[in-house]
Amino acid sequence: MSVRRTGASSLRTAALTRIGLGLLRATAPGGRERWERRNHAGRAVGLYAGPACALATAVGVGRVRTAAGLAVLAAGACGAYDDVVGAGDPRSGFQAHLAALRQGEVTSGAVKLFGISAAGLAAGAALKARPLDRLLAGAVIAGAAHLVNLVDVRPGRAAVAVLALGAPALPRGGDGARTAAAAMGAAAAVLPDDLAERTMLGDTGAHALGAAVGAAVVAGTGRAGLVAHAAALVAAAACGDRVSALARSLV
């Protein structure tokens, strides 16, 4: 029964993602120019995959745990804000946005940083009982959202990362497996279009999928695991440029 429910979660989210992707591509609300971006190779690609993934994953994860689904939705919304408002801003990384904040400028990156952190902490408070576990859970959810965005530097990198990060949760079953399956279903649904450079996840999709993977870890991990994951994610954030460079270099 657990395997069936996990498979159903993945298939349902994949189907919702494909439906959303098709609708957004067909209608392009606000005009196609708002959805078009240039990728690393200078090719014009659409941002349709991001909102489609974020909404479908939020629904899929929310069916398992409402708090986790809301965190996914909030992470996607913060990413969407950065995709729109921060388009063309050359600054990247925590240090650049925090430096701007110290000078009185609230960048879209700063809004995203604090917004996703708050969403992660709120979800952690709902998913865990003890104060330390709540804090660690929040760090894992927000950190995973940031990690997936760090590797979203070439076609397919973020989606493949979600598939790889979510897979270990599947054999354990339970809420963690169903949450991971929802994220993996959405990632798999957009991977062909992402690799073909027809669309891209953007911050919207990368942050939402990452938050879902983080929520899967939280659901199936005790305190020792939370400490290990939180430490690894903080280290990845501190070495963000290196993580992105490594993802960029992979074939």
Side-chain angles (χ1 to χ4, degrees), residues 66-213:
T66 301
L70 290 174
V72 171
L73 188 62
C78 290
Y81 179 78
D82 196 33
D83 278 336
V84 175
V85 178
D89 189 343
R91 290 170 295 192
S92 63
F94 291 158
Q95 293 183 353
H97 293 291
L98 291 176
L101 189 61
R102 286 193 294 270
Q103 296 174 4
E105 181 186 0
V106 181
T107 65
S108 60
V111 171
K112 183 177 67 174
L113 168 61
F114 289 108
I116 293 176
S117 297
L121 289 171
L127 296 173
K128 295 295 183 181
R130 297 181 178 179
L132 179 57
D133 292 340
R134 290 175 171 178
L135 181 62
L136 290 169
V140 169
I141 293 171
H146 181 59
L147 175 62
V148 173
N149 192 55
L150 282 176
V151 302
D152 188 28
V153 290
R154 291 291 186 273
R157 301 297 196 274
V160 169
V162 170
L163 295 175
L165 294 170
L170 299 182
R172 293 195 292 265
D175 287 355
R178 292 170 61 200
T179 300
M184 294 170 70
V190 299
L191 183 57
D193 288 289
D194 195 352
L195 288 172
E197 300 184 55
R198 289 189 292 267
T199 188
M200 62 191 297
L201 287 171
D203 285 5
T204 307
H207 282 304
L209 289 172
V213 170

